[in-house]
Amino acid sequence: MTIKTAQENKQKPVNIRALAAKCCYSVVDQGRSLGDELPKQQDKVSDKDKGLLQEICYGVLRYLPELEHDVRGLMQKPLTGKQRVFHFLLLVGVYQIKYMRIPDHAAVSETVSATSTLKNRHMKALINGVLRNFVRASEGAIITDSQTSALPAPIQYNHPSWFIKKVQQGYPEKWQNILNANQQKPPMWLRVNQQHHSSASYQKLLATAEISVNSVDSLSQAIELTRPTDVSKLPGFEQGWVSIQDGAAQQAARLLNCQKDDVVLDCCAAPGGKTCHILEQTPNISSMTAIDVEASRLVRVEENLTRLGLKAHIITADAANSKTWWQGQYFDRILLDAPCSGTGVIRRHPDIKWLRKASDIDALVILQQRILKETWSLLKPGGTLLYATCSILPQENNEQIKHFIENNADAKLLHIDCAEKETSGTIGWQILPDGKNMDGFYYAKLLKIKT
Ligand SMILES: C[S@@+](CC[C@H](N)C(=O)[O-])C[C@H]1O[C@@H](n2cnc3c(N)ncnc32)[C@H](O)[C@@H]1O
């Protein structure tokens, strides 16, 4: 006879599909962020299953309207109230059948068995019936382009309608490419720490470690891997030879172009990717002040600085109110990586599509305006400020900067070297996610004219 330990007796059965349904419910119905919710559920499963759980949650949030449309067609009435988590369990089931290489019968039976861990055995027959009907209906079904294009835009493109309208207005010729790019799995980009290796020599280390490279950005130290890999497999990660950062975000340090003895401010710094890049690139600046309004996020800045062996003055403060933190020394360079809609990084954070609301955009534009005005007053005449967002919405980007230049006679827009032809009338550099496989990002570089 084997006697179970107290620990084993306490362990509840874990069902990945049940955890995925709970996670998606927390995001969509309770407005919580996937970045907060997924790790909580992942803590309950083995390392091997963490990836599966992640793939299902990301997939359901990527294809939410389409999956809901599929389920709606098979139900007499929608699941509401306390049954909502089972609504998400159905989406979890349909996502696996449509998009994952899991045999249909296994996807159905694993999803159905989640009903016992979710403590509602009555739902078992319903989930079983709906998923089996879905499998039957999809067998041999050929969906034509005309059937797809007859669907409402949110179901066709898997984005909310307010956002589709904004992208159509901003990019009348490219909007479909942008929405399609948002549906892709994101690439993994590395930033090589020039203090240790050049991009070319680190590429050799990657080749030795049998990690293949998809592309290399000629303007920065950015290397795109062919496949995402665990950081522990990256040569010298713990020693700070390399960091994970998208290719678009890696343009900031290059564009800010700090010089020896510069006094530098990164006024929305957490988690510190760009602060660290600037310090790696120009270790001989006079000082780096990294501020952020969220103390909890500044912990990540400290961790990143420590791993990379770098130093900065870290302050928890509101960048829109310098009275609370500014010591009276003007800055030569300021990076303003503004709080924004995050609409350029939807493929990395598909929950943004469902958490962000149309009404958030106006409030963000006002906050960006306030931070821009305040930090501009801390810039030395002759100094430069780099405004950045991970947004693709013109309101937060070129329209914001156009308004600023029109209202500040001492602000001059500087040319940005982006290896792309500048079209006349363009303000700043808008990187779109459908281009070089980088995140959607915006940069504008402003010089404070000496008067
Ligand atoms: C886009 S993120 C910055 C990313 C960071 N620069 C990096 O590269 O890792 C924007 C940051 O602005 C911060 N933030 C929002 N409002 C702020 C304010 N009023 N003052 C300072 N920081 C603010 C947020 O907490 C968030 O960490």
Side-chain angles (χ1 to χ4, degrees):
M1 192 177 82
T2 49
I3 298 169
K4 285 192 175 168
T5 61
Q7 172 90 29
E8 279 169 329
N9 272 332
K10 261 198 228 155
Q11 267 174 7
K12 291 185 199 136
V14 175
N15 178 299
I16 307 290
R17 280 74 182 174
L19 299 182
K22 278 189 194 166
C23 184
C24 295
Y25 168 75
S26 304
V27 172
V28 180
D29 279 18
Q30 299 186 312
R32 305 212 172 111
S33 113
L34 181 61
D36 291 339
E37 291 306 302
L38 181 60
K40 282 189 213 160
Q41 303 298 348
Q42 280 179 320
D43 277 352
K44 300 174 189 164
V45 303
S46 68
D47 283 351
K48 184 171 74 60
D49 286 335
K50 286 187 185 1
L52 174 62
L53 178 56
Q54 171 162 333
E55 166 145 25
I56 298 176
C57 293
Y58 272 69
V60 169
L61 295 173
R62 263 192 198 115
Y63 292 96
L64 185 71
E66 178 189 309
L67 302 174
E68 291 196 312
H69 171 75
D70 291 332
V71 165
R72 229 177 354 252
L74 297 165
M75 309 257 302
Q76 281 172 350
K77 56 179 182 139
L79 295 173
T80 53
K82 286 191 178 149
Q83 297 176 330
R84 279 293 286 175
V85 73
F86 296 97
H87 166 76
F88 290 96
L89 187 60
L90 282 170
L91 306 186
V92 163
V94 174
Y95 174 73
Q96 295 167 84
I97 296 162
K98 269 186 121 168
Y99 290 107
M100 290 183 76
R101 284 203 217 142
I102 297 174
D104 291 350
H105 65 87
V108 173
S109 73
E110 285 294 327
T111 309
V112 169
S113 66
T115 51
S116 12
T117 51
L118 289 170
K119 297 194 188 107
N120 192 329
R121 287 170 193 276
H122 303 303
M123 279 288 155
K124 193 172 173 179
L126 180 107
I127 304 283
N128 192 28
V130 171
L131 293 183
R132 279 182 197 285
N133 282 343
F134 181 75
V135 171
R136 222 167 290 133
S138 14
E139 271 163 2
I142 299 164
I143 314 252
T144 60
D145 284 351
S146 62
Q147 275 172 308
T148 310
S149 57
L151 293 170
I155 300 174
Q156 229 184 105
Y157 295 102
N158 284 299
H159 283 73
S161 67
W162 70 266
F163 181 68
I164 297 176
K165 281 193 199 112
K166 282 207 185 279
V167 182
Q168 283 171 331
Q169 281 160 7
Y171 307 94
E173 278 151 28
K174 302 189 99 183
W175 64 273
Q176 282 155 310
N177 295 352
I178 295 170
L179 299 180
N180 287 335
N182 285 352
Q183 290 296 97
Q184 307 309 312
K185 289 184 180 164
M188 183 169 180
W189 285 88
L190 306 182
R191 183 184 83 227
V192 179
N193 184 347
Q194 293 168 89
Q195 300 296 312
H196 295 281
H197 289 282
S198 66
S199 171
S201 81
Y202 195 76
Q203 282 172 58
K204 286 189 191 139
L205 294 175
L206 287 173
T208 310
E210 297 184 350
I211 297 174
S212 66
V213 167
N214 196 38
S215 71
V216 176
D217 179 47
S218 57
L219 297 172
S220 64
Q221 292 76 46
I223 299 175
E224 183 200 356
L225 298 185
T226 310
R227 255 166 270 101
T229 189
D230 196 283
V231 288
S232 62
K233 302 212 168 73
L234 295 172
F237 180 81
E238 281 309 321
Q239 295 101 295
W241 295 0
V242 72
S243 299
I244 313 298
Q245 190 177 39
D246 187 81
Q250 290 190 50
Q251 307 300 324
R254 177 180 75 80
L255 295 176
L256 192 62
N257 192 22
C258 292
Q259 303 294 315
K260 181 173 179 294
D261 297 330
D262 274 352
V263 178
V264 184
L265 169 67
D266 184 353
C267 67
C268 295
K274 300 183 190 72
T275 315
C276 293
H277 193 193
I278 294 166
L279 288 162
E280 284 170 8
Q281 188 178 277
T282 31
N284 57 0
I285 57 173
S286 168
S287 66
M288 164 65 83
T289 304
I291 74 169
D292 201 282
V293 79
E294 282 194 41
S296 60
R297 284 173 60 82
L298 281 170
V299 175
R300 293 281 312 285
V301 181
E302 302 214 24
E303 286 167 1
N304 283 326
L305 287 165
T306 306
R307 183 178 65 85
L308 295 163
L310 302 167
K311 285 205 161 46
H313 306 298
I314 298 178
I315 308 172
T316 307
D318 177 2
N321 181 7
S322 64
K323 281 192 202 85
T324 58
W325 63 273
W326 187 52
Q327 308 273 314
Q329 186 178 28
Y330 288 92
F331 297 98
D332 298 287
R333 310 268 158 167
I334 296 178
L335 172 61
L336 167 44
D337 189 13
C340 71
S341 61
T343 45
V345 291
I346 284 177
R347 58 188 183 163
R348 292 192 190 282
H349 306 283
D351 54 330
I352 287 177
K353 292 193 284 189
W354 318 118
L355 297 177
R356 200 71 70 232
K357 303 289 172 231
S359 55
D360 296 340
I361 308 301
D362 288 345
L364 281 164
V365 168
I366 291 169
L367 175 62
Q368 291 155 359
Q369 241 172 45
R370 286 180 47 227
I371 300 180
L372 191 48
K373 181 171 178 233
E374 186 75 352
T375 50
W376 188 252
S377 73
L378 311 179
L379 186 65
K380 271 186 201 163
T384 34
L385 180 147
L386 184 69
Y387 176 83
T389 70
C390 57
S391 163
I392 59 160
L393 300 180
Q395 238 184 309
E396 298 177 88
N397 297 343
N398 53 336
E399 288 173 20
Q400 176 76 276
I401 295 303
K402 183 170 184 277
H403 176 266
F404 185 77
I405 296 168
E406 283 169 359
N407 289 283
N408 290 275
D410 59 351
K412 180 177 175 234
L413 185 73
L414 292 176
H415 165 79
I416 279 188
D417 172 18
C418 59
E420 277 168 26
K421 230 173 57 205
E422 252 181 282
T423 36
S424 65
T426 310
I427 294 180
W429 180 19
Q430 180 68 67
I431 305 173
L432 294 172
D434 71 327
K436 293 185 191 164
N437 215 9
M438 292 183 181
D439 287 345
F441 235 89
Y442 176 78
Y443 289 110
K445 193 169 167 178
L446 300 168
L447 171 74
K448 191 166 190 175
I449 300 167
K450 292 182 185 163
T451 45

